[in-house]
Amino acid sequence: MHMVNELVLVGSKGQMGTLIKNKLSAGGVNVLPLDRPFPEEELPDILGRADMLLLAVPVAGMDEVLELMSPYFSSALIVADISSVKTLPVNKMQHFHQGPVMGTHPLFGPSPSEDDELKVALCPGHNLQDHHVQAVSEVFDRGGMHTFMSSCREHDQAMACIQGLNFVTTISYFASLPQDIDLDTFATPSFRRRATAARKMLNEDAVLFSSLAEDNPYTGQMIRRFKSFLNLSAAGEFELLTDKALWWWRNFSDRQGG
């Protein structure tokens, strides 16, 4: 089996980078952090010995990092990322590296609770063999995470619903509320729960979710799909929409607690 004896983590000082570094190190993975300002004179030696390069940097900054580092990539180096979208970053990595490329996405935030399931989606790029996939999976396993395989397309379609559409509908909902009505006085507990859930997204993570929505090639498709159902709502088709919405609970009632 191809083993990852040395992993270079670019962006280890970011929130997710710090979490991944700590979990992998605690699992016995030899993690070498690499952050700005990059030690350019040392890159040939650092990257020449590495078995895996893991990018924990924004998608917008990947081209610059890859252009700087790719001249020192060995053909056997596994290049991977932890971005929340996969089609675009995997294409970027494939452009700069002819060796094995793997897109990964930890499906949890930088401060998971103890009972959160730490799932990681693995989305293969080009020139991956089975031993490369096993090596990447083993790295995350050692960090206490659990991997599963997906295509970039399947992943990004799912994230366009779970992240993109959730963000878009949340900002649209609260932006649409009229400011000349005293909604706070009339607020119900369920409305306050919704507002509380949206507060962090809008006040702290709006830039992040905006970029994720823009970088995901399927966000527009999901917004148009949602718009078609919103049109049904405007036409008063509430029973039809309720029947369609209940599909989720029929299929997942056991796992979601009924």
Side-chain angles (χ1 to χ4, degrees), residues 11-28:
S12 70
K13 293 182 179 179
Q15 288 185 316
M16 281 301 296
T18 297
L19 176 70
I20 296 298
K21 178 186 68 175
N22 292 341
K23 286 193 170 295
L24 297 187
S25 297

Side-chain angles (χ1 to χ4, degrees), residues 67-210:
E67 186 172 10
L68 173 65
M69 298 184 181
S70 60
Y72 313 115
F73 291 172
S74 71
S75 60
L77 178 70
I78 301 171
V79 176
D81 78 308
I82 62 166
S83 303
S84 296
V85 292
K86 292 276 67 82
T87 302
L88 182 57
V90 166
N91 285 340
K92 288 177 180 288
M93 291 186 288
Q94 291 178 158
H95 175 75
F96 284 98
H97 184 45
Q98 296 308 305
V101 167
M102 174 72 87
T104 85
H105 180 198
L107 297 171
F108 47 89
S111 302
S113 62
E114 291 185 3
D115 58 348
D116 283 345
E117 184 180 5
L118 303 184
K119 298 186 295 182
V120 180
L122 302 183
C123 302
H126 66 193
N127 297 326
L128 275 174
Q129 298 181 25
D130 288 344
H131 62 87
H132 296 127
V133 176
Q134 292 170 3
V136 175
S137 181
E138 188 257 353
V139 163
F140 287 105
D141 287 344
R142 290 171 68 183
M145 294 163 270
H146 309 286
T147 62
F148 67 95
M149 300 300 297
S150 171
S151 68
C152 292
R153 176 189 176 93
E154 180 184 26
H155 171 278
D156 284 358
Q157 286 179 328
M159 286 301 106
C161 297
I162 293 171
Q163 290 181 329
L165 193 58
N166 182 39
F167 173 68
V168 169
T169 55
T170 297
I171 59 174
S172 298
Y173 172 72
F174 283 97
S176 72
L177 297 180
Q179 297 181 6
D180 59 348
I181 299 177
D182 184 10
L183 297 179
D184 191 59
T185 298
F186 294 91
T188 61
S190 61
F191 177 84
R192 293 194 183 279
R193 287 193 295 269
R194 183 170 188 176
T196 298
R199 182 182 294 117
K200 183 178 185 295
M201 175 186 287
L202 300 184
N203 284 283
E204 300 179 25
D205 300 325
V207 174
L208 170 64
F209 280 103
S210 292

